[in-house]
Amino acid sequence: MSYSFYYLDVFLNGKMYRLFHLTDAFFLQRQTKDNCDSTLMPHIENKTKKDFVIYFREVKDVLIEGDVHYDEEGEQTEYFFGDVTLRMRDQSYKKMDIVSDISEADLRAFFEELSFTVRKQKPQKYEKPEFTKAQKEYDSKMRTKRDSKVQKALNIYFYIMIAYFVISVFLKHDIMLYISAVLFLINFAAVMALPQYFTIRQNKKNEHSRTTISAGVFLLLPLCYNALEMVTKPANVDGWMTAWLVVSVVFTLILIVRYFGEFKCNLSSVLTVLLSSLLISYGITATLAVPTAKDNLISSRTGEAVDFERHSGKNSSYEVTLLLDDGTQEEYYITSTLYKNTEKGDILKIDTYEGIFGITFTYVNDSE
């Protein structure tokens, strides 16, 4: 064979495959933890349910779409950035994103010896991201400190964090509060100890090849569930703003000091750091306040329902006005179930819990 590659790593339908060039077919082998390091040529008879075999006779032509690749410093490389579409004779097609580092010449050679036509579509106009000299020097310094295995492990862990957030939202169990706290400490330790794998700045326009992970997003992910516990309206949370702002300032300073080398050559990242810190500190405040309030009931009283109000929108909310024993009236958020099952004149129970920093959570329930 005159070409340099006999397989390509590609994404197809959101999953990673290894595309092998066999004698009369393409073999798309689904990548798993068992075969991800193997480059052995597969046999069609060993095909699993997760694999695909595409015979050359089924392919009408191949479309290559994309352009040259730019590195983190905005310099053009020899690699090709784009995708390949196999157009089939039955009018269907398979579009695959190229993951392998490969030049355009080698990519074309991978297909051109076959019996179908390879066409290159006109690429869209691409503008290189602009970097200052200081940014290039910092990125170059950090890049020399990275280990590909650690980078891969962190990327996998990052997706695990996303999965954890989704699971926690649906599971809604108190244990998640403590798991989230532990995961945050692990993430915080990683961000502090391994700055070469993280960044505090935003992506630059057309910057396709950045391999670092956003420190703000990485720290925020495990805290999202706890933050939702604070933002849930039936909780009627009070006294959280002072603690939130203080923690925000402290966390902003921590990130700036630790990532000062990147910060001083990306001064515009101050807004990114500030926004990240505000979100992270809200999650930290919730992580500390919600569990400490669970068993700390500071008051329990009753009130008569005198009025109801529903706020319609994307996420409806419900309020009840209660007449207290001292003759005053107070409004509280309640659940939709309580809203539907309560009428004027009903007596409701008002329980207030207090967590760290003096943050209170007030819940309104049926008095029975």
Side-chain angles (χ1 to χ4, degrees), residues 79-342:
Y79 299 131
F80 185 83
F81 183 87
D83 54 61
V84 166
T85 302
L86 302 181
R87 297 205 304 184
M88 317 302 287
R89 296 190 182 279
D90 63 1
Q91 307 304 314
S92 63
Y93 65 91
K94 293 190 181 299
K95 186 174 183 179
M96 300 170 286
D97 296 317
I98 303 300
V99 179
S100 295
D101 289 333
I102 187 171
S103 68
E104 181 182 347
D106 282 332
L107 181 62
R108 294 178 69 86
F110 186 87
F111 296 101
E112 280 183 337
E113 290 193 354
L114 308 175
S115 59
F116 38 79
T117 305
V118 179
R119 310 176 190 274
K120 181 179 179 182
Q121 299 191 108
K122 185 178 180 180
Q124 297 178 350
K125 186 178 180 181
Y126 183 87
E127 297 179 3
K128 292 192 296 183
E130 296 181 1
F131 292 87
T132 65
K133 182 178 179 181
Q135 289 172 331
K136 291 180 180 180
E137 290 176 350
Y138 176 83
D139 288 345
S140 177
K141 179 182 177 181
M142 291 295 102
R143 194 160 51 250
T144 59
K145 296 181 178 181
R146 293 176 198 149
D147 181 276
S148 60
K149 292 183 179 179
V150 175
Q151 183 78 65
K152 184 177 180 180
L154 284 172
N155 288 336
I156 294 173
Y157 178 73
F158 180 75
Y159 288 111
I160 292 175
M161 285 292 96
I162 296 176
Y164 168 76
F165 167 65
V166 175
I167 293 171
S168 65
V169 170
F170 284 98
L171 193 58
K172 294 182 179 179
H173 194 282
D174 284 351
I175 191 64
M176 291 298 179
L177 294 169
Y178 303 98
I179 294 176
S180 295
V182 172
L183 291 176
F184 170 74
L185 292 176
I186 294 173
N187 289 15
F188 181 71
V191 167
M192 292 295 103
L194 304 169
Q196 64 268 36
Y197 299 99
F198 299 93
T199 182
I200 58 172
R201 66 175 175 82
Q202 289 182 320
N203 276 338
K204 284 187 174 292
K205 183 180 180 181
N206 296 322
E207 186 185 358
H208 294 297
S209 59
R210 194 177 82 181
T211 56
T212 48
I213 301 171
S214 169
V217 176
F218 190 73
L219 291 170
L220 182 61
L221 275 174
L223 298 175
C224 288
Y225 173 76
N226 296 8
L228 287 175
E229 289 288 290
M230 281 254 289
V231 80
T232 303
K233 288 184 176 178
N236 297 288
V237 185
D238 290 308
W240 57 272
M241 187 166 290
T242 300
W244 171 57
L245 291 176
V246 171
V247 176
S248 295
V249 172
V250 172
F251 216 84
T252 298
L253 293 175
I254 290 174
L255 286 179
I256 289 177
V257 170
R258 185 65 184 96
Y259 287 79
F260 187 71
E262 182 177 18
F263 179 76
K264 68 181 180 181
C265 59
N266 295 279
L267 293 179
S268 61
S269 64
V270 65
L271 293 177
T272 304
V273 175
L274 181 58
L275 178 60
S276 297
S277 296
L278 288 171
L279 295 172
I280 293 167
S281 64
Y282 191 85
I284 292 174
T285 303
T287 300
L288 295 173
V290 174
T292 56
K294 289 287 183 180
D295 300 315
N296 187 25
L297 179 66
I298 60 173
S299 71
S300 184
R301 49 186 176 161
T302 58
E304 179 185 346
V306 296
D307 194 20
F308 300 90
E309 187 174 358
R310 175 181 176 179
H311 302 280
S312 299
K314 186 176 182 180
N315 295 306
S316 297
S317 60
Y318 307 87
E319 282 186 67
V320 62
T321 301
L322 298 178
L323 176 62
L324 306 180
D325 293 338
D326 60 5
T328 60
Q329 294 186 2
E330 293 184 2
E331 295 179 348
Y332 296 97
Y333 287 107
I334 58 176
T335 63
S336 59
T337 301
L338 189 61
Y339 175 84
K340 295 174 183 177
N341 297 332
T342 305

Side-chain angles (χ1 to χ4, degrees), residues 341-358:
N341 297 332
T342 305
E343 299 178 352
K344 290 183 180 181
D346 288 351
I347 303 301
L348 300 178
K349 186 179 180 182
I350 311 164
D351 291 329
T352 300
Y353 299 80
E354 185 178 50
I356 197 170
F357 308 127

